[in-house]
Amino acid sequence: MNRRSAIKSASVGAAAAMLGGIASTQTASAKQMDEPLKGYVKHSVSYWCFGKYPLDEFAKTCKEIGIQSIELLDPKDWPVVQKHGLTCAMAQGSGLGIDNGWNNPELHDKLVASYEEVIPQVAKAGLTNLICFSGKRRGLTDEQGWTNCEKGLKRIIQTAEKHKVVLIMELLNSYGHKDYQCDHTAWGVELCKRLGSENFKLLYDIYHMQIMEGNIIENMTRNIQYIGHIHTGGNPGRNEIDETQELYYPAIMKALVKTGYKGFVGQEFVPKAADPIASLRRCIRICDVAPS
């Protein structure tokens, strides 16, 4: 055999092996999709990312996938998912939006009235978590922001404790959500410490915190006692949490499971693929890990 024929033979053999490998991988992937979820991660999904699907139809699909919650829903929508045996792991329906939050004392009366109205509704519906926001910084120092948020939230924390509802402040990046104040884990943790209540925790959004500070596994695990909910999202772009982005979610989820975290992990990526439901199925499986 000369050099040319040897190379040709090797190329044919490599191609055959590659095809065999692809077929084997595809078979293994299809088999994985049919297997029951492992049960160590409680799966949720943010409805706004899949809003083109009617909620009732989407709830049926989520139930079939093994997702236990559809989140960021208003009170009128909670019964829609509950009739399919799902919950809403992160309720909304109170407050004045992301930009206008608890760091503005001028808004405290309106915010208190809004949350005092919705907190009992959350409890009556059998739900637990209600989202809230710091609001834009608007020139405030960290200390002023903490002081203002603490003063306002202390007006409703007893109501939350009475109804066993947890107020969850979301950590967001302050580039996309320009000037948002609660934009680092340390900022949110300090507010948790000042309030000193198990009924106030943080929504640790992995996408946002990757943009602001990185070091996801260490920051998340070190502060897990202050975290009441998790959001996913691929960076860059907030798309699928697969090999197209810079974070390796299986390792992140294994670290999360190792902490003993019992809350939900909410998929909050904007599907880029042609089939959004197929993307959702795959991303659930990416996060479906067992302890090492």
Side-chain angles (χ1 to χ4, degrees):
M1 180 179 290
N2 61 30
R3 184 167 180 264
R4 180 176 297 174
S5 60
I7 291 172
K8 182 177 180 180
S9 176
S11 298
V12 171
M18 185 182 297
L19 288 173
I22 291 171
S24 176
T25 301
Q26 288 175 338
T27 301
S29 179
K31 182 180 179 182
Q32 182 195 30
M33 290 296 181
D34 291 333
E35 292 176 351
L37 294 172
K38 296 179 177 68
Y40 294 97
V41 175
K42 292 163 67 176
H43 299 284
S44 181
V45 59
S46 293
Y47 182 54
W48 71 266
C49 302
F50 296 85
K52 72 176 186 177
Y53 298 101
L55 183 57
D56 190 70
E57 174 188 325
F58 187 60
K60 292 177 184 177
T61 300
C62 288
K63 182 73 173 179
E64 187 269 324
I65 292 173
I67 296 170
Q68 298 161 272
S69 156
I70 301 176
E71 61 183 75
L72 296 180
L73 299 176
D74 293 324
K76 65 180 178 58
D77 294 320
W78 303 340
V80 178
V81 298
Q82 287 175 324
K83 76 177 183 180
H84 293 285
L86 306 180
T87 189
C88 177
M90 184 58 60
Q92 64 179 24
S94 54
L96 301 170
I98 292 173
D99 294 343
N100 300 300
W102 289 98
N103 65 356
N104 186 346
E106 295 179 1
L107 301 177
H108 283 178
D109 287 347
K110 289 182 179 178
L111 287 169
V112 168
S114 176
Y115 278 85
E116 290 280 3
E117 178 183 354
V118 176
I119 288 171
Q121 295 179 40
V122 173
K124 186 177 180 180
L127 306 179
T128 302
N129 296 333
L130 180 60
I131 199 166
C132 67
F133 304 98
S134 69
K136 284 190 174 185
R137 184 180 288 270
R138 294 187 174 96
L140 295 175
T141 65
D142 285 343
E143 183 60 43
Q144 288 170 327
W146 288 323
T147 299
N148 292 345
C149 284
E150 180 185 0
K151 183 178 178 180
L153 286 162
K154 278 187 173 177
R155 292 174 60 181
I156 62 166
I157 202 70
Q158 286 187 341
T159 301
E161 291 170 346
K162 173 185 173 182
H163 291 281
K164 297 180 172 56
V165 170
V166 183
L167 303 172
I168 307 277
M169 183 171 284
E170 184 163 14
L171 295 160
L172 299 169
N173 85 76
S174 52
Y175 300 108
H177 293 283
K178 188 172 176 58
D179 201 39
Y180 184 74
Q181 188 156 34
C182 186
D183 63 348
H184 281 78
T185 306
W187 198 96
V189 166
E190 175 61 22
L191 182 56
C192 289
K193 290 178 179 178
R194 292 185 180 213
L195 287 165
S197 172
E198 286 298 307
N199 291 75
F200 181 83
K201 290 187 179 292
L202 302 175
L203 195 170
Y204 189 85
D205 189 301
I206 295 170
Y207 160 76
H208 287 294
M209 290 303 95
Q210 172 67 1
I211 291 172
M212 294 306 300
E213 60 192 21
N215 204 19
I216 295 298
I217 289 177
E218 182 177 347
N219 285 330
M220 180 183 68
T221 55
R222 186 174 66 239
N223 297 293
I224 197 66
Q225 71 188 94
Y226 303 108
I227 294 171
H229 196 73
I230 302 283
H231 273 171
T232 73
N235 188 51
R238 185 143 221 157
N239 302 123
E240 282 83 350
I241 57 170
D242 54 20
E243 67 281 353
T244 63
Q245 52 97 50
E246 63 189 3
L247 289 169
Y248 185 62
Y249 269 89
I252 294 172
M253 289 298 112
K254 279 182 177 290
L256 180 64
V257 168
K258 189 176 180 180
T259 68
Y261 172 77
K262 301 301 182 186
F264 278 86
V265 173
Q267 299 291 333
E268 199 180 30
F269 67 90
V270 179
K272 194 174 182 179
D275 187 341
I277 299 301
S279 276
L280 179 58
R281 288 179 185 273
R282 185 171 182 225
C283 290
I284 290 293
R285 292 289 173 173
I286 289 171
C287 289
D288 184 47
V289 301
S292 299

